Amino acid sequence: MHSFEALADLCFPPSCLGCGISLQQSSVLFCDSCLVKIKFISEPYCPCCGILFSSGENHLCALCLKKSWNFTKARSVFVYNDTAAKAILGLKFGGRKAALKTFRKFKEQCSPCRDLVIPDSIIPVPLHSNRLRQRGFNQSLLLARAFYPEEKEKIKKTALKRRRDTISQTGLDGSSRRKNMRDAFLVQKEADVYGKKIVLVDDVFTTGTTVNECARALKQAGAAQVDVLTLARVAKNW
Ligand SMILES: [Zn+2]
Ligand SMILES: [Zn+2]
């Protein structure tokens, strides 16, 4: 550990993002009892959207049997539950950048993530410029850098642009979400997209509407393939 980091941890003891108890190092996000509440995604899962199942072998889920997505496959590291939500909020609003080291390690250990295409371009889901100004950073870009630490030059943070400051998706049902997101994204650097195999990165896969709309724009601009990687995945019953 860097000595400055060690000193900072000494002066401002980090706390568990799950329950708030003190921790030794800021690069550790959770105490042991909260860490076990993180549900990592492993087999069996849907080979298309990546949703996990409680038993059986990998198979297409009911949604993917009837729906055709604009992306080829989606994978996520863990299930979005209360503990996961606290970790993501810590990253978004608490400036807990040390979280990224842990997320990187989690992703390296994620076996479904190994199905993802080897990308020519890695594209973070963009924030609208107003939102970016408020927050100061795009958490999807931070995640893309954490997930692909050796691929800096492939990360294309300006390839996609969010056209409208779409109102929060929270509380909207599926069809309202789709209307809200339709044409929300625009490819502004075709050279990063045309003929490329792409991994699109976001923090949470909720209904898939956001990444599906990004993938639509990328495919329309000539992307050869679009896969999706998110840190967390909303999954009922988990
Ligand atoms: Zn804890
Ligand atoms: Zn599926």
Side-chain angles (χ1 to χ4, degrees):
M1 192 165 45
H2 196 278
S3 61
F4 175 75
E5 216 171 281
L7 187 66
D9 286 353
L10 202 66
C11 299
F12 309 99
S15 54
C16 170
L17 290 175
C19 69
I21 69 160
S22 295
L23 298 172
Q24 298 291 320
Q25 296 171 22
S26 56
S27 58
V28 180
L29 295 186
F30 299 108
C31 69
D32 291 343
S33 53
C34 288
L35 185 62
V36 296
K37 293 183 198 151
I38 294 282
K39 172 70 190 163
F40 292 98
I41 297 177
S42 58
E43 294 196 343
Y45 59 88
C46 170
C48 180
C49 74
I51 192 96
L52 73 171
F53 304 119
S54 54
S55 61
E57 295 184 359
N58 290 354
H59 59 276
L60 283 177
C61 72
L63 181 62
C64 291
L65 279 172
K66 58 178 192 212
K67 180 177 171 69
S68 67
W69 299 98
N70 296 305
F71 54 80
T72 302
K73 52 182 152 354
R75 297 291 181 267
S76 311
V77 178
F78 52 64
V79 172
Y80 188 79
N81 58 18
D82 287 349
T83 305
K86 285 175 186 165
I88 291 169
L89 280 177
L91 176 65
K92 265 186 179 167
F93 302 109
R96 192 74 178 268
K97 303 277 169 63
L100 292 164
K101 272 190 198 165
T102 305
F103 294 156
R104 170 182 169 178
K105 201 173 67 190
F106 288 166
K107 187 260 176 182
E108 281 167 359
Q109 292 162 352
C110 167
S111 73
C113 297
R114 291 179 199 133
D115 302 339
L116 293 168
V117 71
I118 294 171
D120 303 310
S121 291
I122 299 155
I123 299 183
V125 169
L127 288 178
H128 188 267
S129 49
N130 293 345
R131 197 76 64 95
L132 186 60
R133 224 169 292 130
Q134 279 168 11
R135 196 175 293 162
F137 61 90
N138 176 0
Q139 73 280 2
S140 301
L141 173 61
L142 300 184
L143 287 170
R145 289 178 181 151
F147 291 156
Y148 291 96
E150 316 293 338
E151 311 272 16
K152 255 193 189 135
E153 74 293 346
K154 290 188 182 174
I155 299 175
K156 308 295 183 186
K157 64 174 182 177
T158 55
L160 259 186
K161 183 184 156 96
R162 196 181 280 246
R163 234 199 274 256
R164 289 183 281 118
D165 196 0
T166 44
I167 54 169
S168 172
Q169 294 278 84
T170 323
L172 296 181
D173 64 23
S175 84
S176 316
R177 273 172 187 259
R178 283 189 291 278
K179 256 182 235 153
N180 187 35
M181 296 306 291
R182 186 59 66 123
D183 298 326
F185 298 97
L186 175 78
V187 169
Q188 56 176 7
K189 286 214 175 152
E190 210 162 287
D192 294 337
V193 173
Y194 186 83
K196 307 288 189 197
K197 295 186 194 112
I198 293 168
V199 172
L200 185 65
V201 178
D202 204 2
D203 52 358
V204 186
F205 186 114
T206 307
T207 61
T209 304
T210 302
V211 288
N212 199 45
E213 289 308 314
C214 288
R216 181 198 307 279
L218 294 168
K219 292 301 280 285
Q220 280 170 353
Q225 182 175 337
V226 181
D227 281 358
V228 174
L229 171 58
T230 68
L231 180 63
R233 167 70 196 237
V234 172
K236 282 185 191 131
N237 311 322
W238 288 92

